[in-house]
Amino acid sequence: MFSRLFGLLSKDMAIDLGTANTLVYVKGKGIVLNEPSVVAVTNHKGRQQVLSVGDDAKLMVGRTPGNIQAIRPLRDGVIADFEIAKEMIMHFIRKVHNRRGFASPQIIICIPSGATPVERKAIHDAAQSAGARRVLLIEEPMAAAIGAGLPVTEPTGSMIVDIGGGTTEVAVISLGGIVYARSVRVGGDKMDEAIIAYIRRHLNLLIGESSAEKIKKTIGSASLPKNGEDGASMQIKGRDLTTGVPKEITISERQIAESLAETVAAIMEAIKVTLENTPPELAADIVDKGIVMTGGGALLRNLDAVIREATGLPVIVAEDPLSCVALGTGRAIDQMKELNTILMNLH
């Protein structure tokens, strides 16, 4: 009886610890949590106290009084604030288990392929400090490829482009290993920053992160509208930098496409470098099967068409691009014996 109860409480889990969102997959249940990677803290007698995590904390971004900060503990796909990241992971584990005291689960966490040994250890140690019995790491492009249903263990080349909040991971995978990978610290966050900078520079209006994200999702595009048109438009509100008072203006799809041009070019460069470094036999497989896109950035309108045009290869957006990494990491838990060679144990 006790061993059965222990088994229920210590369900192994997979965590897609993303810069923008954290997804948790529990063995036997699938994805049970998908919340923003944001923690709201307050300073109390010189010490930081966590007020809220995830959805509740995201609502506070850009709206907090002086004594409260909304912190994103991950930047560019890696931990920027160790203590806050540990609190966030602990909160999500407890939320998933729906109780404060839980038996230590085994956890698999995905990491960017370009993460340094120090960054890998920080992620590993944060999960262990949060109460994990054992922590294994999996590289993000590998997890994305598994989640997208690519035949990663077969002797055939598969190319994945995973555009997350903090990083873009481009990799060619064959026989359960990454043949060549390129990780650039460009993703959804950089797109938001580019939109904020463009509107500030060209329209003298200051907007926040949440507004930039909304603009990107509503009228964002990787290419300019055809025939010199402005395309779709939307009303945005912000602070006029000349007068200092709130103001509402209209912005067009063309303007947003112009603001995103540099970020899109950086993603294209990573794809081209990866293709140039792909062995000829695997390159032949990619010509047949094409490039698979995952991550939130894959949803940017016309990005697949821009890549298709630049490379001449078929480009497919995965069925559920936002969940691919979490699903792939989860599948690594479900098929641990078969996929053991792709998991990293730092101890």
Side-chain angles (χ1 to χ4, degrees), residues 236-304:
I236 59 165
K237 299 180 182 80
R239 191 174 84 233
D240 189 312
L241 289 167
T242 313
T243 63
V245 297
K247 184 182 174 183
E248 186 176 44
I249 62 166
T250 302
I251 193 155
S252 71
E253 186 182 327
R254 171 172 288 276
Q255 289 169 309
I256 299 307
E258 284 172 6
S259 73
L260 296 175
E262 207 172 303
T263 312
V264 171
I267 293 168
M268 283 307 313
E269 179 63 22
I271 293 169
K272 283 179 178 173
V273 169
T274 304
L275 287 169
E276 284 165 10
N277 285 276
T278 301
E281 290 300 323
L282 298 181
D285 294 334
I286 294 164
V287 169
D288 293 335
K289 294 195 297 183
I291 299 168
V292 176
M293 290 171 66
T294 63
L299 298 171
L300 180 68
R301 199 183 310 126
N302 298 327
L303 184 55
D304 54 340

Side-chain angles (χ1 to χ4, degrees), residues 16-228:
D16 171 12
L17 197 62
T19 306
N21 293 288
T22 295
L23 284 79
V24 178
Y25 176 107
V26 173
K27 191 172 183 177
K29 290 184 180 179
I31 295 172
V32 294
L33 181 139
N34 181 356
E35 293 197 23
S37 304
V38 182
V39 181
V41 298
T42 182
N43 273 320
H44 181 68
K45 294 179 181 175
R47 290 190 62 185
Q48 284 187 329
Q49 282 189 344
V50 174
L51 289 178
S52 59
V53 180
D55 287 327
D56 296 336
K58 176 77 183 277
L59 296 172
M60 298 184 183
V61 172
R63 300 169 187 268
T64 56
N67 62 327
I68 299 173
Q69 270 183 298
I71 296 172
R72 293 175 66 177
L74 288 106
R75 283 279 162 197
D76 302 328
V78 292
I79 290 176
D81 189 319
F82 182 82
E83 286 303 320
I84 299 296
K86 185 176 78 177
E87 289 288 340
M88 184 177 79
I89 295 168
M90 202 181 296
H91 171 88
F92 288 145
I93 292 173
R94 282 180 182 151
K95 191 166 183 177
V96 164
H97 280 284
N98 206 16
R99 54 184 286 137
R100 288 195 71 78
F102 57 85
S104 306
Q106 178 169 251
I107 294 178
I108 297 181
I109 298 189
C110 62
I111 51 163
S113 60
T116 65
V118 172
E119 289 165 343
R120 288 173 188 220
K121 192 170 184 326
I123 290 171
H124 179 279
D125 292 354
Q128 207 154 48
S129 304
R133 178 174 85 251
R134 181 180 179 222
V135 182
L136 295 167
L137 305 178
I138 183 172
E139 289 184 310
E140 215 165 283
M142 180 63 82
I146 296 168
L150 295 179
V152 296
T153 55
E154 292 176 18
T156 175
S158 299
M159 185 166 178
I160 193 95
V161 178
D162 178 53
I163 307 165
T167 58
T168 292
E169 308 275 331
V170 187
V172 173
I173 293 164
S174 178
L175 281 170
I178 292 175
V179 179
Y180 183 85
R182 183 94 174 157
S183 178
V184 288
R185 299 201 169 182
V186 169
D189 286 353
K190 284 283 188 288
M191 291 180 192
D192 295 345
E193 286 168 20
I195 290 169
I196 292 169
Y198 181 94
I199 291 171
R200 181 180 190 143
R201 194 166 57 244
H202 293 273
L203 302 167
N204 256 350
L205 193 77
L206 187 63
I207 62 165
E209 282 178 34
S210 304
S211 299
E213 190 181 9
K214 190 178 175 185
I215 293 165
K216 178 181 69 184
K217 288 178 177 176
T218 310
I219 60 168
S221 174
S223 60
L224 296 170
K226 291 187 171 65
N227 307 322

